[in-house]
Amino acid sequence: MPLNSIYRFRLSLIPGGLLSILLLFLAFAIFFILFSSIDNKDFFSSIITSRIFDLVRFTVYQALLSTLFSILLGTALAWALTHQNSFKGRSYLIALLSSSLILPTLIVVFGIITVLGQNGWLNRALLYLFDYSFENSIYGLSGILIAHVYLNASFVARSLLHVFESIPKERYKLAKSLNFSTIQRFRYIEFPAIKLSLRSISSTIFLLCFTSFAIVLTLGGSPSYNTLEVAIYEAIKIDFDIPLALKLAFIQLSITIVLVFLSANFKVGISDIKTSTQKIPWLETKKLRILQISIILFSSILFILPLVSILIDGLGANFIKIFSDIVFIESFITSLIIASISSILTVLFALLISDTRRNFNINHRIKKTKFRSFINMIIAFSGNIYLAIPSLILGLGFFLLSLKFEAPLSYWAFGSVLCANILMSLPFALSILYPPMANVAQRYDKLSFSLNLKGSKRWLYCEWPYIKSSVLYVFALSFCLSLGDLGVIALFGSDEISTLPWYLYNLMGSYQTKDAAGVALILLILTLSVFIFLPRIFTRKKDV
């Protein structure tokens, strides 16, 4: 690695490099506090019991099924939207797919229970029309899979839609001239284009489902459907069995770290994040159009109905009672403060890490060597620590620290929730900001060098105009993810500190359905308003 390259790009290397080291140090500190708390000599000899084996097996099983169904439905929807690009409401459906990523998990769970629960809309409609209802409960594996597919299939569809639309029209013309069937067209034209993205998306979804907490906690229904994450929560919060929690944390960390390192090398090619809709140069057959429209209709109903149920049930809540509750007010303010701070820090961290990482992926900056690839992998891993150290394990680390160092529990809770929210949003922020920042460096480095643009001038005139929309999107995304998170707060939530998701969870747990519907509606409106309008307001102010 030439020293002149390091010196020339020192301002690009040092801040993000130090931040990556800090994040890795945080991971090491969590490891240290967990393992230093192990005082049982038989810890490792008794780590694999039948109960723990069943937990690992079910955690992997539900993650695999959730990933498979999410990929199948998301890919089918992206394919259908690509070939049916002229129907009314298409842009609104795509916007819905984008917003589903930031919907608070508890809102999705509440909506699914309202529609598909034992006394839900579907069962009541079937009883009224056909005097028949489903006997199977939404609680259990089926409910977990439905909620995971709801959240992840839309993410898959929105991500792959961009890739489908980026396929050159000439390839479709070639497929038409060769008289390819639909299957052949997908096999030889479309699948090769989306294959790399599918690998990256699949690994991310599997890790998210493997470490899923709120969905399994609320829809699991029984210990037989617990995952490692929920078992850690119950061991700490209910049984106060710290040794068992440490064993589960050790197993989960071992698995997730391996998975994150394996997925760190998945790369997505650098390209413009904005693409124009590609119109296929021929009409699909009637049967194929029916299939594509059916996929779009089914997916639309799947994504929209739970949100509609929240809107309808929420409007019947007693909002005077809700807004006069001091616990709700404190939870609301706490959520806004944590979300604001975490979103600002997430944007800053993502910019610094992306700025550093692009040096190790661009040959004219630092020449390609094995050492460069290794450093690139380490930096990528530092930004995806949350996938290796999920919120409950992070919370367990902070919980153990709170037992050793005396301080108000609310301080530990605030710090751990803030840290977890930043780490949770960072992988998404990096996946959004890194491609355009790498593209800027690839395109404009030589021009910047010739004009002697450095530091703040390069940022103002070269970087910011190109990545502004991405930065604003990341800010809104991280704000909403933080606003709806139910992770670490599940360990620290109390009368002293509470957030809106924890407040909603307590209402659902105490069967205060009407109040829960009202709070869910408030959280839904707040989240969607921030996600949709915040970037637009900032953009207008900037443009004036």
Side-chain angles (χ1 to χ4, degrees), residues 132-143:
Y132 171 82
S133 66
F134 291 110
E135 295 182 1
N136 293 332
S137 172
I138 190 65
Y139 297 98
L141 179 61
S142 58

Side-chain angles (χ1 to χ4, degrees), residues 190-251:
E190 295 171 329
F191 182 73
I194 68 172
K195 180 171 64 174
L196 189 62
S197 297
L198 275 178
R199 290 177 59 190
S200 179
I201 293 169
S202 298
S203 64
T204 300
I205 291 176
F206 180 85
L207 281 165
L208 291 174
C209 294
F210 185 85
T211 58
S212 177
F213 172 68
I215 288 175
V216 182
L217 179 66
T218 51
L219 292 176
S222 69
S224 59
Y225 296 111
N226 276 1
T227 58
L228 288 168
E229 194 93 342
V230 174
I232 293 171
Y233 165 77
E234 291 182 348
I236 300 171
K237 193 79 172 181
I238 299 175
D239 303 325
F240 202 74
D241 189 347
I242 301 300
L244 176 60
L246 289 171
K247 290 179 183 179
L248 297 172
F250 174 79
I251 293 172

Side-chain angles (χ1 to χ4, degrees), residues 309-512:
S309 70
I310 293 173
L311 176 62
I312 294 175
D313 286 5
L315 290 175
N318 187 351
F319 288 101
I320 296 177
K321 176 185 174 183
I322 294 173
F323 285 111
S324 62
D325 186 355
I326 187 66
V327 179
F328 169 80
I329 296 173
E330 291 177 351
S331 301
F332 184 84
I333 295 174
T334 302
S335 292
L336 289 182
I337 292 173
I338 293 176
S340 299
I341 297 174
S342 65
S343 56
I344 293 171
L345 292 178
T346 297
V347 169
L348 179 61
F349 289 2
L351 287 172
L352 293 177
I353 292 175
S354 297
D355 191 24
T356 297
R357 189 185 172 194
R358 62 182 176 178
N359 291 287
F360 299 93
N361 278 306
I362 299 176
N363 292 331
H364 69 253
R365 287 201 171 190
I366 297 176
K367 291 183 179 180
K368 186 175 183 179
T369 61
K370 291 183 178 180
F371 181 72
R372 189 190 83 165
S373 300
F374 174 75
I375 296 297
N376 179 47
M377 185 178 68
I378 294 297
I379 296 173
F381 176 75
S382 69
N384 289 275
I385 281 179
Y386 177 79
L387 298 176
I389 309 178
S391 58
L392 257 293
I393 294 182
L394 184 69
L396 175 58
F398 278 96
F399 181 79
L400 295 173
L401 285 172
S402 69
L403 296 178
K404 291 188 176 184
F405 301 98
E406 292 187 4
L409 188 63
S410 59
Y411 291 176
W412 285 108
F414 188 89
S416 59
V417 171
L418 180 63
C419 183
N421 287 340
I422 294 171
L423 294 180
M424 174 183 62
S425 303
L426 199 53
F428 297 101
L430 289 172
S431 67
I432 294 168
L433 286 177
Y434 175 72
M437 289 188 68
N439 203 1
V440 168
Q442 192 80 273
R443 289 184 177 184
Y444 301 117
D445 266 358
K446 294 181 180 179
L447 178 62
S448 299
F449 298 154
S450 64
L451 297 175
N452 198 29
L453 282 177
K454 298 179 181 178
S456 59
K457 288 185 177 180
R458 176 188 168 106
W459 168 258
L460 183 62
Y461 296 112
C462 186
E463 306 273 359
W464 176 247
Y466 193 82
I467 67 171
K468 177 177 64 173
S469 61
S470 298
V471 168
L472 296 174
Y473 177 72
V474 166
F475 180 88
L477 176 67
S478 58
F479 188 96
C480 295
L481 288 174
S482 175
L483 199 62
D485 182 50
L486 179 70
V488 174
I489 193 62
L491 292 179
F492 289 95
S494 64
D495 293 337
E496 296 182 7
I497 183 169
S498 175
T499 61
L500 279 179
W502 180 245
Y503 181 79
L504 174 59
Y505 176 74
N506 287 329
L507 291 176
M508 293 171 64
S510 58
Y511 299 101
Q512 301 180 54

Side-chain angles (χ1 to χ4, degrees), residues 129-281:
L129 295 174
F130 307 106
D131 195 25
Y132 171 82
S133 66
F134 291 110
E135 295 182 1
N136 293 332
S137 172
I138 190 65
Y139 297 98
L141 179 61
S142 58
I144 294 171
L145 293 179
I146 289 171
H148 280 161
V149 171
Y150 181 96
L151 289 170
N152 296 317
S154 54
F155 169 66
V156 175
R158 187 64 189 92
S159 301
L160 291 183
L161 182 60
H162 163 74
V163 183
F164 272 110
E165 291 179 346
S166 300
I167 298 175
K169 189 186 297 183
E170 288 73 18
R171 295 185 184 180
Y172 283 113
K173 290 181 177 180
L174 178 62
K176 180 65 174 178
S177 65
L178 294 175
N179 199 27
F180 277 5
S181 65
T182 303
I183 296 176
Q184 288 176 321
R185 184 180 66 189
F186 182 81
R187 179 181 177 182
Y188 296 111
I189 303 297
E190 295 171 329
F191 182 73
I194 68 172
K195 180 171 64 174
L196 189 62
S197 297
L198 275 178
R199 290 177 59 190
S200 179
I201 293 169
S202 298
S203 64
T204 300
I205 291 176
F206 180 85
L207 281 165
L208 291 174
C209 294
F210 185 85
T211 58
S212 177
F213 172 68
I215 288 175
V216 182
L217 179 66
T218 51
L219 292 176
S222 69
S224 59
Y225 296 111
N226 276 1
T227 58
L228 288 168
E229 194 93 342
V230 174
I232 293 171
Y233 165 77
E234 291 182 348
I236 300 171
K237 193 79 172 181
I238 299 175
D239 303 325
F240 202 74
D241 189 347
I242 301 300
L244 176 60
L246 289 171
K247 290 179 183 179
L248 297 172
F250 174 79
I251 293 172
Q252 180 155 329
L253 280 173
S254 302
I255 297 173
T256 52
I257 286 173
V258 172
L259 292 173
V260 170
F261 265 115
L262 289 176
S263 62
N265 288 323
F266 292 163
K267 297 178 181 178
V268 179
I270 298 171
S271 61
D272 293 329
I273 59 174
K274 294 182 179 179
T275 60
S276 57
T277 301
Q278 292 280 7
K279 291 188 177 181
I280 310 302

